[in-house]
Amino acid sequence: MRGTNARSGSAGPEDGLTDFDGAAEILRTWGAGLTPDPDLTVSQWADKHRMLSGRASAEPGRYRTGRTPYMREIMDRLSPGDPTQRIVFMKAAQVGATEAGNNWIGFAIHQAPGPMLAVQPTVELAKRNSRQRIDPLIDESPDLRERVKPARSRDAGNTMLSKEFAGGILIMTGANSAVGLRSTPARYIFLDEVDAYPASADEEGDPVTLAEARSLTFAHRRKVFLVSTPTIRGLSRIEREYEASDQRRFFVPCPHCGAMQWLKFDRLRWQKGKPETAEYHCEVCDAPIGEHNKTAMLEGGEWRATAVAADPTTVGYHLSALYSPVGWLSWARIARGWEAAQGSDEAIKAFRNTILGETWVESGEAPDWQRLYDRREAWKPGTIPAGGLFLTAGADVQKDRIEVDVWAWGRGLESWLVDHVVIEGGPDRHDAWSELTALLDRSWPHERGAHLHIARLAIDTGYEAPAVYSWSRAQGFGQVSPVKGVEGFNRSSPVSGPTFVDATEGGKRLRRGARLWTVAVSTFKAETYRFLRLARPTEEEMADGAAFPPGSVHLPHWVENEWLKQVVAEQLVTVRTKRGFARLEWQKLRERNEALDCRVYARAAAWIAGADRWSEEKWRDLEDQLGAAPTDTDPAGQINRPGQAPQGKRRSDWLGRRGGWF
């Protein structure tokens, strides 16, 4: 068998078949391809090879798994030697999950090359992640720089969304791009912030399902890492995946009695108004545990399964920010964040999502209209009660009328229905718009003697939008805000904008369109129902000085049954899409719901005015203005202090286009 290796049957070097330029490189690459995956785990690789960049990390230098011990097992599950195929991580912010995912990417490039797909919620976020995270990951680690050529080199295969290396490629894309999700088979799939993914990628299906399909050909050798901060119960992808897993919790020892337990927010206690006194209380011995004990507790911690997984190849982990290492997010800051969130459902929702790593439960059960009828209150019709500090209005344009509700708002978004106006005639009737304009010039008497104008009116553009745009432009956008309602809860803000939209008037193309605000009506409807269900103090409690809780809704005795039925005319239900995914949807219980819509628009107007973000000083300024005796009044009804506007404010900041709010 001349020229043949007797053991392998392959051609040997003496055959001359490898006597050409580049043969050594081919043999080296061929041999590397036959090399089995290394025994090194992802956490071991990170401690040995990973360097953190000062432009991408608050703690630059060599990566230390010991800083976040709870990430060790999660990273090691991503190692090729571990049989787990799917790793689910439902987490809070600031626990080190992003860097752990980057460690996995670096490990794959260096130690176990193969095709990898990294998915962000959008393509734009994928580009940003590439610049801010992946490029520093490669640049700061010499072992990775050797394997990924600089983007400026010829035939580098290195672009913003693609990094080629020997034996593999990293493709980065967004969950909104179906093309990116089905571009190539992938052994490794990193799905980051899955709860922010759209319901469908370019109408081609669930992004997670599309992405995971890329790994099926790799069978047991595949790795899928799903990471996210959760959002809303029933809609959260990461919660659904976690609940189908073995639901692991990180158990840590009590420094006093040694009892192992996972950290719960209700065990964190502090003196009211003094978050710096926050301490964790052991659930066994109830002894207080100081923040300085956390480092030792984390080092002695371990992950324990609390359920049986539906799929034995999937493991799931949950972690709150209570575990954040010393020097990151402290228990005192968590306590301060909880106190600051009180009175705002959006703030409490964000706290539960980003600090506790838990879903937010949207309750859309409609209150009973008859109960609202029984809770009506008596105050002088057309008068603003003492707690009301400014007015907004919501206008709903119908085919044959325009309905407007005027609401007064106070601290903690406590609100009072001040007026209900029905303007006969639809948007094609000129007099209807004139009456709506007159409403902007009208003032309502306050219990303390002032007269308040509408600070901002939000008007729906769902019917005859061009007519609404035209009227809004004529009034000026300082007092009028055209709005467009959109469904869905997974939005970064309940109101976004404004955006300039094109409009036509008499067939003429306008150079600059109206300023349109987008309103997440689902969020404000759920908030309204929560506010309507709030318990109220009894007469005895109020006599002792008890106040209404933040968000309380006060309805006047003159409000009619029809209005009450309209404000509770919808119900939040869970529906299934054609592909079987859950979705929350508002459905009408009766045909007419104008009162609810007007309330939502008036609430959006309060948000646009800034009430959700006002400082204590601003609220005091409003109270001072109303509490002062009116020494001088301008023709528009504005209370003028002798010689100046509220302290710290320029008069031009305080007054609106029509002479201010008062």
Side-chain angles (χ1 to χ4, degrees), residues 530-649:
R530 286 195 298 273
F531 286 171
L532 286 170
R533 286 194 299 268
L534 287 174
R536 302 188 170 204
T538 63
E539 292 184 5
E540 293 79 8
E541 290 172 335
M542 286 191 286
D544 292 335
F548 283 88
S552 294
V553 179
H554 302 270
L555 302 176
H557 68 280
W558 51 260
V559 72
E560 298 176 350
N561 292 357
E562 175 61 25
W563 189 96
L564 294 171
K565 292 177 181 178
Q566 289 181 19
V567 84
V568 294
E570 297 188 23
Q571 185 90 9
L572 186 63
V573 299
T574 302
V575 298
R576 294 282 174 179
T577 66
K578 293 180 179 179
R579 296 182 176 90
F581 295 101
R583 177 168 58 88
L584 292 176
E585 181 180 281
W586 286 97
Q587 293 183 356
K588 287 185 179 182
L589 300 174
R590 64 196 307 272
E591 184 57 32
R592 293 192 60 182
N593 65 341
E594 295 92 320
L596 179 59
D597 286 343
C598 287
R599 162 72 188 198
V600 167
Y601 304 146
R603 173 66 180 94
W607 194 99
I608 295 169
D612 294 72
R613 303 170 297 284
W614 281 344
S615 64
E616 173 65 20
E617 179 188 9
K618 180 61 178 284
W619 287 109
R620 282 200 304 267
D621 284 343
L622 289 171
E623 290 170 337
D624 289 346
Q625 282 260 304
L626 289 171
T631 58
D632 184 27
T633 306
D634 72 354
Q638 171 76 28
I639 290 181
N640 297 324
R641 295 229 176 170
Q644 65 177 20
Q647 183 178 2
K649 302 288 182 181

Side-chain angles (χ1 to χ4, degrees), residues 431-469:
D431 289 347
W433 294 112
S434 297
E435 291 181 39
L436 188 58
T437 301
L439 197 65
L440 295 176
D441 290 319
R442 179 181 164 186
S443 65
W444 284 260
H446 193 278
E447 185 177 308
R448 295 178 180 176
H451 281 73
L452 276 65
H453 286 85
I454 293 172
R456 189 169 289 270
L457 179 143
I459 182 169
D460 180 37
T461 61
Y463 183 77
E464 291 290 344
V468 176
Y469 294 155

Side-chain angles (χ1 to χ4, degrees), residues 332-532:
R333 285 178 58 194
I334 292 175
R336 186 174 293 110
W338 176 252
E339 287 194 345
Q342 301 310 299
S344 169
D345 287 321
E346 284 301 310
I348 295 176
K349 174 183 175 183
F351 183 91
R352 289 200 169 278
N353 291 166
T354 62
I355 303 301
L356 302 185
E358 298 175 355
T359 51
W360 169 259
V361 179
E362 289 287 359
S363 178
E365 182 181 353
D368 180 19
W369 74 268
Q370 291 179 322
R371 185 182 177 210
L372 298 182
Y373 181 90
D374 294 337
R375 289 171 59 168
R376 294 178 306 164
E377 303 171 35
W379 69 80
K380 188 177 179 180
T383 300
I384 304 165
L389 300 179
F390 70 100
L391 298 179
T392 68
D396 186 24
V397 180
Q398 300 286 326
K399 182 178 180 180
D400 59 350
R401 67 194 183 283
I402 301 174
E403 298 215 10
V404 185
D405 281 338
V406 181
W407 287 86
W409 301 89
R411 283 179 177 269
L413 295 176
E414 193 172 356
S415 61
W416 294 259
L417 178 63
V418 173
D419 209 342
H420 172 64
V421 180
V422 179
I423 299 174
E424 297 297 338
D428 57 344
R429 178 174 170 262
H430 178 75
D431 289 347
W433 294 112
S434 297
E435 291 181 39
L436 188 58
T437 301
L439 197 65
L440 295 176
D441 290 319
R442 179 181 164 186
S443 65
W444 284 260
H446 193 278
E447 185 177 308
R448 295 178 180 176
H451 281 73
L452 276 65
H453 286 85
I454 293 172
R456 189 169 289 270
L457 179 143
I459 182 169
D460 180 37
T461 61
Y463 183 77
E464 291 290 344
V468 176
Y469 294 155
S470 177
W471 177 80
S472 300
R473 280 193 303 272
Q475 308 315 309
F477 299 111
Q479 191 181 17
V480 174
S481 298
V483 296
K484 174 185 178 182
V486 292
E487 297 294 335
F489 289 95
N490 293 339
R491 298 185 178 274
S492 58
S493 172
V495 182
S496 58
T499 57
F500 291 97
V501 293
D502 292 329
T504 58
E505 186 177 27
K508 181 181 179 181
R509 185 76 171 180
L510 295 175
R511 186 170 59 181
R512 207 171 192 189
R515 300 178 187 180
L516 180 67
W517 296 82
T518 300
V519 178
V521 294
S522 296
T523 298
F524 285 145
K525 287 176 182 177
E527 178 194 79
T528 296
Y529 281 8
R530 286 195 298 273
F531 286 171
L532 286 170

